[in-house]
Amino acid sequence: MVTYLDGKFVDDADAVVSVRTRALNYGLGCFGGIRGYLAADGRQINLFRVSDHITRLMHSARVLHMRLPGDHAETCGLVGELLRRNEVHHDVYVRPLVLNGSTKLAPVMREEDSVLAIYCLPLQRYMEKDAIDVCVSSWRRATDNAIPARTKATGLYLNSALARREAHDNGYDEAIFLTEYGKVSEGSAEHVFIVRDDVLYTPPSTEDNLDGITRRSLIALATEDLGLKVVERVIGRTELYVSDELFLCGTGAQIQAVRSVDKRTIGNGGIGPVTARLTEHFNNVVRGRVEARRGWLTPVWE
């Protein structure tokens, strides 16, 4: 495999940084996650909303006093070039990563220390189960005024790792965070949607969670394409227990149905009808089968 690192495409074995970097010692950095989907011809790869992902990465870098080496178009082009150099003709996940490459001791953020890396890997399903069991974590989501969640900061994922480890230790597949005020925030790496009486509800991006691109996409698909009602509002913990359906979503997870929360079965314990309908439509969109949504797809191969 080939990786892009600091202005060059290099073999994976050579894509290394010093153990002294502030990125490694202090978690100073931010990243994105981009999906590419194999088209029906078995050759073409369509990147899903790559422009929006790079825009969010640039915003993250700005908040964290970092910067990308090129402009928006150049960075989008690097993603496509990486996949071509790796001869990718399969479903793929791309990780652009902005690191603080300084080897000085103090945890200081400076734009001039920014290093861009981009790598890719094959990815089908993020979770193997059709419907998962989740718990509400005892760990609270870090507040936006502590570590800005909307930036997808690398250091923030210690918070996620602790919640997921706790969930696994207790026999669950995933965890859901509450905010410091006790309201639903998000999963360890996914957004939350509940369904009640055929209406979808999801916490707004001001609830200490990421400004999710998959989340925004699903809101558009649900309301504009499927005629469903979506309400963005604060959600309480116990409302999870009495929802008709519940699913998590994200670039990695895509749409992941939830079977139970804290050992309370959701609906019939399987994939609910609204979740199933939205999942089918989303899959058709990312595979290029919905003409009206082809603007979200960027082909890799000419």
Side-chain angles (χ1 to χ4, degrees):
M1 298 291 288
V2 172
T3 289
Y4 176 87
L5 177 64
D6 200 17
K8 299 177 182 178
F9 288 96
V10 299
D11 289 339
D12 266 10
D14 297 321
V16 295
V17 296
S18 170
V19 296
R20 298 174 184 270
T21 59
R22 287 169 169 164
L24 180 60
N25 282 267
Y26 305 115
L28 303 190
C30 57
F31 67 96
I34 305 165
R35 279 265 196 176
Y37 293 90
L38 183 65
D41 63 4
R43 180 178 183 276
Q44 183 63 269
I45 301 297
N46 289 312
L47 293 167
F48 183 66
R49 303 195 72 168
V50 62
S51 177
D52 296 294
H53 280 286
I54 297 304
T55 295
R56 187 176 67 187
L57 183 65
M58 297 181 85
H59 289 169
S60 296
R62 184 189 309 166
V63 172
L64 299 176
H65 297 290
M66 307 182 82
R67 66 186 178 205
L68 277 66
D71 62 20
H72 184 274
E74 290 170 333
T75 308
C76 290
L78 288 174
V79 173
E81 180 63 19
L82 176 73
L83 299 187
R84 288 188 288 272
R85 286 179 181 246
N86 281 293
E87 288 290 329
V88 171
H89 298 288
H90 50 72
D91 286 359
V92 65
Y93 179 88
V94 182
R95 168 63 56 83
L97 180 64
V98 186
L99 305 170
N100 186 309
S102 172
T103 57
K104 294 182 180 180
L105 185 61
V108 177
M109 304 293 280
R110 301 192 312 163
E111 286 82 357
E112 57 266 37
D113 295 329
S114 303
V115 174
L116 175 65
I118 312 174
Y119 66 87
C120 64
L121 68 153
L123 184 62
Q124 296 286 331
R125 296 185 63 170
Y126 187 64
M127 298 182 184
E128 294 302 320
K129 297 180 180 179
D130 291 334
I132 61 174
D133 300 302
V134 308
C135 64
V136 174
S137 180
S138 68
W139 296 95
R140 295 297 177 98
R141 175 50 99 197
T143 68
D144 195 57
N145 278 327
I147 302 176
R150 69 177 56 250
T151 63
K152 214 168 174 68
T154 55
L156 178 63
Y157 281 74
L158 173 59
N159 190 212
S160 295
L162 288 167
R164 182 170 284 193
R165 173 59 189 262
E166 178 188 52
H168 289 179
D169 284 350
N170 289 292
Y172 298 98
D173 302 301
E174 182 56 291
I176 291 177
F177 279 114
L178 301 181
T179 68
E180 285 294 334
Y181 300 101
K183 302 303 181 182
V184 174
S185 176
E186 59 182 346
S188 74
E190 313 89 4
H191 285 92
V192 177
F193 280 81
I194 67 172
V195 181
R196 298 190 70 182
D197 298 323
D198 293 326
V199 177
L200 291 119
Y201 298 91
T202 184
S205 60
T206 50
E207 289 300 300
D208 297 328
N209 56 40
L210 182 68
D211 182 15
I213 293 168
T214 303
R215 174 183 173 276
R216 283 192 271 125
S217 300
L218 294 181
I219 291 173
L221 295 179
T223 57
E224 298 170 15
D225 296 11
L226 301 181
L228 298 169
K229 184 177 180 180
V230 178
V231 178
E232 296 180 75
R233 65 162 173 80
V234 172
I235 294 175
R237 172 179 181 165
T238 57
E239 197 169 2
L240 301 175
Y241 303 152
V242 297
S243 57
D244 301 324
E245 302 175 41
L246 194 157
F247 64 85
L248 307 178
C249 71
T251 297
Q254 301 175 101
I255 301 176
Q256 177 63 61
V258 172
R259 179 172 61 186
S260 70
V261 182
D262 290 341
K263 301 190 184 302
R264 281 88 163 176
T265 300
I266 304 300
N268 63 6
I271 302 174
V274 174
T275 304
R277 186 182 175 200
L278 191 55
T279 299
E280 180 181 20
H281 187 53
F282 177 79
N283 288 337
N284 285 332
V285 167
V286 299
R287 298 291 175 187
R289 296 191 286 264
V290 179
E291 186 65 34
R293 294 295 181 182
R294 282 187 173 270
W296 283 354
L297 304 179
T298 301
V300 169
W301 297 96
E302 298 297 335

